[in-house]
Amino acid sequence: MKVLIAGSTDDVEDIMSSILLEEGYDCVFVKDSKEVIDNIYVEQPDVIILDILLSNPSSLEILSQLKSAPSTRGIPVILIASKRSRLKLVKGYELGAYDYISRPFFKQEILSRIKNITFACDRIKELEKLLDRDYLTGLYNRRFFMERFLEEIAWSVRYKEPLSLMMLDIDFFKRINDTYGHGCGDEILKQISSALLSVLRAEDIVARYGGEEFIILLPNTSAEGAITAAEKLRATVQNRTFVCKDSNNGDMRLSVTISIGVTIYNGETELSPDRLIGQADGALYSAKESGRNRVVV
Ligand code: GH3
Ligand code: MG
Ligand code: MG
Ligand code: MG
């Protein structure tokens, strides 16, 4: 665990280092307040201890800059403050500082405060993960997808970049459940999810949209790229043998196919996410109607 300590005086560095290093924390010290922000970007600490007496820029200016940037907003900040700086401390809390440490330093107090804060922040990270992910497949969920989709549409309009969207649905999935049981169906959903991730790029956003329906956003991807990717997904699933357990715990090997509807957005005419999803859904419907196991644009 890494703690970045930004302090104006020698006692901060001396005492903090003896306390924190002894407890096994990885410590980074910054004395010049002009270098604090840059160091935070480079070091990516888990906790920041910021002396309220820093000036030019002041500790409060540093704090407000940290809290306004998405990449540093979540890092907890503990202020070092004395009784005389209570008003500043209140401003610090308003800006998003989590806690404070007072002088003279007291080892147990510092360690307890750091422990409490990191515990709370870890819980927040875990909860955020639960909020964004689908429990069964580990893919992004629909809520997270819609959030990202809006951002990507705005980006597409601004930079005149194309954006592609796919709706994907497993063919005759009800039959798999009916024949091999729900547990097997769940297993297939997981295996299809990892097959999708193995084919797509890291920038693509793959989400479970509903029961056995997936939605995929391909940023900065035009028709040609989207059709190639969709065809690759379709072929990958068709060529793969899926394995699940039957009711007697025996290995069942089965083939599965998927249908995909694709739509491309050029960023020129303003379109709502619902319209785009409607278009991809329409293409998916055509793929089903025209025989399944195919890609329709
Ligand atoms: P089509 O080719 O037209 O898509 O046929 P289908 O059978 O896949 O379509 P339908 O919409 O009739 O059935 C979807 C099935 O997906 C029904 C539902 O029980 C199943 N399903 C939805 N969510 C889950 C899940 O989380 N686990 C399992 N095992 N099955 C699910
Ligand atoms: Mg259906
Ligand atoms: Mg289906
Ligand atoms: Mg369906």
Side-chain angles (χ1 to χ4, degrees):
M1 182 138 105
K2 194 186 273 185
V3 185
L4 184 137
I5 301 144
S8 54
T9 52
D10 284 335
D11 71 321
V12 176
E13 178 164 352
D14 293 348
I15 296 173
M16 286 288 179
S17 71
S18 66
I19 294 171
L20 297 175
L21 288 173
E22 196 180 293
E23 290 294 317
Y25 288 100
D26 188 0
C27 298
V28 179
F29 295 97
V30 188
K31 251 178 140 174
D32 185 346
S33 56
K34 288 183 193 63
E35 289 172 10
V36 174
I37 295 279
D38 280 348
N39 266 283
I40 289 168
Y41 277 109
V42 173
E43 301 287 347
Q44 294 287 315
D46 300 292
V47 180
I48 298 164
I49 296 180
L50 188 63
D51 189 347
I52 212 156
L53 297 176
L54 283 176
S55 59
N56 194 26
S58 72
S59 51
L60 296 184
E61 283 164 341
I62 293 171
L63 188 56
S64 98
Q65 206 176 326
L66 288 178
K67 291 296 166 183
S68 61
S71 60
T72 52
R73 189 181 293 151
I75 308 173
V77 176
I78 303 176
L79 293 167
I80 299 174
S82 65
K83 274 191 184 144
R84 276 173 289 137
S85 47
R86 273 186 175 160
L87 267 178
K88 256 188 162 176
L89 183 61
V90 172
K91 288 219 177 77
Y93 283 142
E94 283 168 5
L95 288 171
Y98 277 62
D99 203 352
Y100 85 105
I101 296 167
S102 57
R103 285 192 171 87
F105 296 132
F106 178 50
K107 180 178 175 174
Q108 293 312 327
E109 180 194 349
I110 294 173
L111 295 176
S112 306
R113 288 183 193 262
I114 291 177
K115 263 188 202 132
N116 279 350
I117 280 175
T118 48
F119 177 76
C121 289
D122 286 350
R123 295 294 291 168
I124 289 171
K125 276 183 213 151
E126 277 170 36
L127 289 172
E128 278 172 348
K129 205 171 156 195
L130 286 178
L131 214 61
D132 292 346
R133 300 276 175 177
D134 167 57
Y135 176 71
L136 179 72
T137 61
L139 296 178
Y140 289 123
N141 59 24
R142 189 165 169 168
R143 192 201 66 81
F144 178 85
F145 182 87
M146 292 310 289
E147 227 175 76
R148 283 300 311 273
F149 194 18
L150 284 173
E151 287 169 16
E152 291 295 336
I153 289 176
W155 181 278
S156 197
V157 170
R158 190 156 167 200
Y159 297 100
K160 302 269 170 290
E161 276 179 6
L163 177 71
S164 296
L165 182 73
M166 289 182 205
M167 276 293 235
L168 186 158
D169 186 288
I170 304 174
D171 297 328
F172 303 119
F173 192 65
K174 203 172 171 307
R175 257 191 226 165
I176 296 176
N177 275 330
D178 292 348
T179 316
Y180 306 103
H182 241 76
C184 177
D186 285 356
E187 193 49 49
I188 300 299
L189 283 168
K190 288 198 241 179
Q191 290 174 27
I192 292 219
S193 301
S194 64
L196 301 181
L197 291 177
S198 72
V199 171
L200 294 161
R201 301 170 303 178
E203 308 88 82
D204 301 333
I205 301 152
V206 189
R208 186 173 178 202
Y209 195 68
E212 34 83 74
E213 258 178 59
F214 302 85
I215 192 162
I216 301 166
L217 191 61
L218 306 137
N220 199 10
T221 305
S222 55
E224 202 191 348
I227 295 163
T228 309
E231 184 49 40
K232 200 168 167 198
L233 289 177
R234 189 205 60 75
T236 301
V237 172
Q238 182 182 21
N239 296 327
R240 183 160 159 172
T241 303
F242 293 86
V243 181
C244 66
K245 301 278 180 208
D246 65 12
S247 47
N248 300 318
N249 210 30
D251 275 346
M252 289 301 313
R253 303 168 73 77
L254 50 145
S255 297
V256 181
T257 61
I258 54 174
S259 297
I260 305 177
V262 182
T263 192
I264 291 97
Y265 177 50
N266 56 24
E268 278 159 19
T269 40
E270 193 103 25
L271 277 187
S272 70
D274 288 350
R275 270 288 285 283
L276 287 165
I277 290 174
Q279 286 174 9
D281 213 23
L284 172 60
Y285 182 79
S286 305
K288 293 280 184 188
E289 285 294 287
S290 56
R292 294 176 175 81
N293 188 24
R294 66 195 60 205
V295 175
V296 170
V297 187

